[in-house]
Amino acid sequence: MQKEENNKCVIVIFGATGDLAKRKLFPSIYNLYKKGSLSENFAIVGAARREWSDNTFRENVATSIQDSKINVDADLDDFLKHFHYLSFDVTNTSSYQNLHELINELDEQFNIPGNRIFYMAMAPQFFGTIASYLKSNEVTTTIGWSRLIIEKPFGHNLESAQKLNIDLREAFAEDEIYRIDHYLGKEMVQNIEVIRFANAIFEPLWNNRYISNIQVTSSESLGVEDRGGYYDHAGALRDMVQNHMLQMVALLAMEPPNRLTTEEVRTEKIKALRALRPMKSEDVDRYFVRGQYGRGMVNGKEVNGYREESNVDPNSATETFVAGKLLIDNFRWAGVPFYIRTGKRMTEKSTKIVIEFKELPMNLYYKSKDEMHPNLLIIHIQQDEGLSIVLNGKKVALSGETTPVKLDYCSSCQDVLNTPEAYEKLLYDCILGDATNFTHWDEVSLSWSFVDTISKVWENSIPTDFPNYEAQSMGPKISDKLLADDGFHWWPISDDSPYSILKGENINENV
Ligand SMILES: NC(=O)C1=CN([C@@H]2O[C@H](COP(=O)(O)OP(=O)(O)OC[C@H]3O[C@@H](n4cnc5c(N)ncnc54)[C@H](OP(=O)(O)O)[C@@H]3O)[C@@H](O)[C@H]2O)C=CC1
Ligand SMILES: O=C1O[C@H](COP(=O)(O)O)[C@@H](O)[C@H](O)[C@H]1O
């Protein structure tokens, strides 16, 4: 009963004519509708500057759903009846009064008990303004609940994030603000907690006594595409590390929560981020590496270097690659490096976490030709979803030599049609009032304080070697040194060849 009342709501999408709404939000809402996760009592208001009619808006929503990979059923017309459009100027009071009236009408038409979600799918400079106008025009004053979903980037540094947060908090309480990090909606990112805390074979080993290092790689094969205007002011550090990469590190490092409630889970993640050893300016070059892609060959065709991309400064010093070594100063993790790397125009699209376990105290098989292979747990976040465990076994032969054995579980292969998109899951969580997989302000602020030191150092020392990696490579060679100095190497991340991780020739691929 509670759930049925809860999912009745009006969702206002600011920026409904834009790319995010088209590619992610409309298909996600349609999927929720098809699965019966939305009741019939919902309405969507699209708001943007364009002078569209409801019909034009519905046609665009239909096209975006048809262009996505979803199976479109006959119920599309019924679905579209829930969509309404409002031509909107963010700085004009009358726009908010019109919005208020429209929401009230829709509440009545669809029997919605005053529940509202305001989704900011617009450029971040408008977030504060919209929140403040919503409040002053009493659009957020309702007998039901009122929630704000806010897209990244959440500020450009700690100072601007703090200012944005103060602006938002004038209109919304912390528990009404849902800061989206779409990595937290990914199936296997959500699975990190389950793998860790529901398995007796991992939980006791998850610490510095048994783990030698953890590697988190999120590589992209595409370049900056048409987002040069935004990206050239952000760079990989702000675009990926401040949010997605540090969120994955927090999930890997956190203590088990007392309960699976939003507050308990967030508290543990916040504690892990607090334990992150702050960077000193003088250590940045030792712990972090930046790169920028140059030209290269992709599928037999030469592709542009970053500085030749549209809306990018031809002398840009913006990094499109970051690798770093993080240390977590607490009992569990003292001495265990967490290596992260992310970049554009790398060899392939892949996000993987490799947990490398320590060697055994004595190796009975050491005298044999092959050295023992460390045990690995590999969490495949994307493109394939699943996990692998690398163990040692005996070679099928008389010699008694050991050989690495890999056990694979592919969760996306089991349920390929039902794996929900990250946005679908997160939108549904927000409708149900579950903020566990959204970032709390404390997580945002701790991540910015960590990243700010690095970006300040980088802003003050212009790299002379950019571009320093070829498109379609694993980034600058110097990123291998981060690990080599500690006696480690990056494990390969290829999805194409599931056994590549075991092959000697692919190990140390960049060294
Ligand atoms: N696209 C993506 O994949 C991702 C986007 N994001 C974030 O989502 C947000 C939106 O991104 P995206 O959809 O790509 O951006 P777009 O530029 O494609 O869309 C911007 C939207 O804002 C509207 N808009 C712009 N100015 C005004 C104004 N003054 N008043 C009213 N509406 C206005 C535009 O419509 P109109 O021109 O009709 O006014 C359009 O609907 C950004 O914060 C971005 O960082 C985050 C992750 C991924
Ligand atoms: O937030 C962002 O993420 C994407 C990568 O997301 P993924 O789900 O495709 O891995 C990245 O391309 C983009 O630059 C960044 O803003």
Side-chain angles (χ1 to χ4, degrees), residues 152 182-183 186 218 220 227 230-231 239-240 244 344 349 351 382:
K152 61 173 285 200
H182 76 278
Y183 268 57
K186 289 186 191 280
S218 190
E220 295 187 74
R227 293 173 71 220
Y230 149 76
Y231 195 89
D239 187 49
M240 290 292 292
H244 313 316
K344 295 203 182 276
K349 173 83 181 161
T351 303
Q382 57 188 13

Side-chain angles (χ1 to χ4, degrees), residues 31 35 69 383-385 410-421:
N31 260 346
K35 288 176 186 167
K69 288 177 196 150
Q383 300 287 49
D384 57 339
E385 294 176 339
C410 171
S411 66
S412 49
C413 309
Q414 306 281 314
D415 213 355
V416 85
L417 290 177
N418 287 326
T419 306
E421 240 279 349

Side-chain angles (χ1 to χ4, degrees), residues 43 52 85 115 130 161 188-189 196-197 208 231 269 278 297 360 375 421 437 462 468 478-479:
W52 279 1
Y85 185 79
N115 297 333
I130 297 175
M188 288 306 293
V189 172
R196 287 190 55 192
F197 303 130
N208 51 10
Y231 195 89
K269 282 169 69 195
M297 300 298 285
L360 290 167
N375 291 143
E421 240 279 349
N437 290 312
I462 305 301
N468 61 354
I478 185 128
S479 73

Side-chain angles (χ1 to χ4, degrees), residues 210-454:
Y210 299 101
I211 290 177
S212 68
N213 73 92
I214 293 184
Q215 304 178 12
V216 185
T217 299
S218 190
S219 63
E220 295 187 74
S221 52
L222 293 178
V224 72
E225 305 298 292
D226 54 3
R227 293 173 71 220
Y230 149 76
Y231 195 89
D232 209 32
H233 294 104
L237 188 68
R238 293 186 175 95
D239 187 49
M240 290 292 292
V241 176
Q242 184 272 336
N243 36 67
H244 313 316
M245 302 302 282
L246 288 182
Q247 282 295 319
M248 287 189 280
V249 168
L251 287 167
L252 290 161
M254 70 190 227
E255 294 300 313
N258 294 344
R259 280 181 213 85
L260 288 179
T261 59
T262 304
E263 206 183 320
E264 298 287 351
V265 173
R266 283 171 155 188
T267 301
E268 296 308 335
K269 282 169 69 195
I270 291 165
K271 272 164 62 189
L273 291 170
R274 272 203 203 114
L276 205 55
R277 185 182 298 175
M279 272 290 113
K280 290 194 196 125
S281 304
E282 59 272 27
D283 286 339
V284 167
D285 288 341
R286 200 149 55 90
Y287 285 84
F288 272 81
V289 167
R290 57 182 155 163
Q292 187 190 77
Y293 65 84
R295 292 179 185 180
M297 300 298 285
V298 175
N299 300 329
K301 273 175 66 184
E302 185 168 42
V303 294
N304 280 341
Y306 176 70
R307 289 176 177 178
E308 295 145 353
E309 304 278 23
S310 58
N311 298 320
V312 168
D313 177 350
N315 298 312
S316 175
T318 299
E319 77 287 350
T320 60
F321 172 97
V322 175
K325 169 175 158 178
L326 314 179
L327 291 168
I328 296 180
D329 288 330
N330 61 19
F331 249 68
R332 186 185 285 270
W333 293 117
V336 180
F338 283 63
Y339 302 106
I340 56 169
R341 72 178 157 167
T342 181
K344 295 203 182 276
R345 277 274 183 250
M346 293 172 69
T347 49
E348 68 187 275
K349 173 83 181 161
S350 173
T351 303
K352 282 206 178 19
I353 297 167
V354 181
I355 293 107
E356 181 175 338
F357 290 87
K358 286 187 172 167
E359 300 290 336
L360 290 167
M362 185 179 137
N363 183 350
L364 288 172
Y365 301 92
Y366 192 70
K367 288 194 200 87
S368 69
K369 194 152 59 56
D370 292 331
E371 283 187 28
M372 295 267 279
H373 194 280
N375 291 143
L376 305 174
L377 168 66
I378 306 155
I379 305 177
H380 306 249
I381 308 286
Q382 57 188 13
Q383 300 287 49
D384 57 339
E385 294 176 339
L387 52 93
S388 310
I389 301 175
V390 179
L391 307 168
N392 287 293
K394 181 188 163 303
K395 268 190 187 166
V396 184
L398 295 175
S399 66
E401 287 170 22
T402 63
T403 186
V405 181
K406 189 157 170 258
L407 313 179
D408 280 317
Y409 166 66
C410 171
S411 66
S412 49
C413 309
Q414 306 281 314
D415 213 355
V416 85
L417 290 177
N418 287 326
T419 306
E421 240 279 349
Y423 274 93
E424 183 187 325
K425 284 202 270 187
L426 294 174
L427 197 53
Y428 189 52
D429 281 354
C430 177
I431 292 171
L432 297 183
D434 181 353
T436 314
N437 290 312
F438 293 81
T439 39
H440 187 273
W441 164 246
D442 290 352
E443 295 171 70
V444 175
S445 70
L446 286 161
S447 304
W448 274 125
S449 0
F450 181 78
V451 155
D452 276 358
T453 316
I454 305 163

